[in-house]
Amino acid sequence: MDTLLLLIAINFLVVPFLQEAEAQGRRLLRFPGLPWILRLAHVRRSHWFRPFCMLAFFFLSIAAMQARAGRVDAPTLLVHFVIMQVVLWAVVVLSVRKHAKVRSAAESALGNQAQGHLIAPL
């Protein structure tokens, strides 16, 4: 149980970076680089950022106290953390790609109509 609490607390700390990657990716129409994500430009302006960070660090401190008691299985924690991060970041990457694909398709359709070319249905 303590391992699960620590895993949840650590994953809470990643949420602002996931949010920033998605916001920057939608703006850039591609997945942003690490410097763009680490700036947290969009997330810092959000009303939820400060309370979220306080809550995340509170959970992390509680989980860290439990970890000091020696009730955390480190290999299990590491494996589950890696699996969760792969899944979470994959969801963000797919969301950014989907948004970029939809937006570029809409822009190309508007561009074709502006030029007077209508695309005939097949």
Side-chain angles (χ1 to χ4, degrees):
M1 183 67 175
D2 296 327
T3 304
L4 181 62
L5 289 175
L6 187 57
L7 179 66
I8 292 168
I10 292 170
N11 279 307
F12 261 85
L13 297 176
V14 178
V15 170
F17 298 102
L18 292 166
Q19 177 69 27
E20 182 67 21
E22 188 167 9
Q24 289 287 348
R26 286 177 181 258
R27 188 180 65 79
L28 298 170
L29 295 180
R30 61 177 172 78
F31 193 77
L34 188 60
W36 287 97
I37 296 170
L38 293 177
R39 284 186 199 142
L40 293 176
H42 286 88
V43 174
R44 281 185 295 166
R45 287 180 275 165
S46 300
H47 65 282
W48 60 267
F49 182 62
R50 189 169 298 186
F52 180 84
C53 286
M54 290 188 291
L55 185 64
F57 283 115
F58 174 72
F59 285 151
L60 186 62
S61 65
I62 290 173
M65 286 189 288
Q66 296 295 325
R68 286 188 196 143
R71 295 184 291 229
V72 174
D73 183 19
T76 303
L77 177 70
L78 181 63
V79 168
H80 285 110
F81 177 75
V82 169
I83 291 170
M84 289 179 77
Q85 291 307 304
V86 167
V87 169
L88 290 171
W89 285 100
V91 167
V92 170
V93 168
L94 292 174
S95 173
V96 168
R97 287 178 62 192
K98 180 181 177 185
H99 182 76
K101 189 178 190 181
V102 167
R103 190 164 161 192
S104 65
E107 287 174 357
S108 76
L110 286 175
N112 287 339
Q113 288 177 357
Q115 295 173 359
H117 301 103
L118 295 177
I119 299 172
L122 296 176

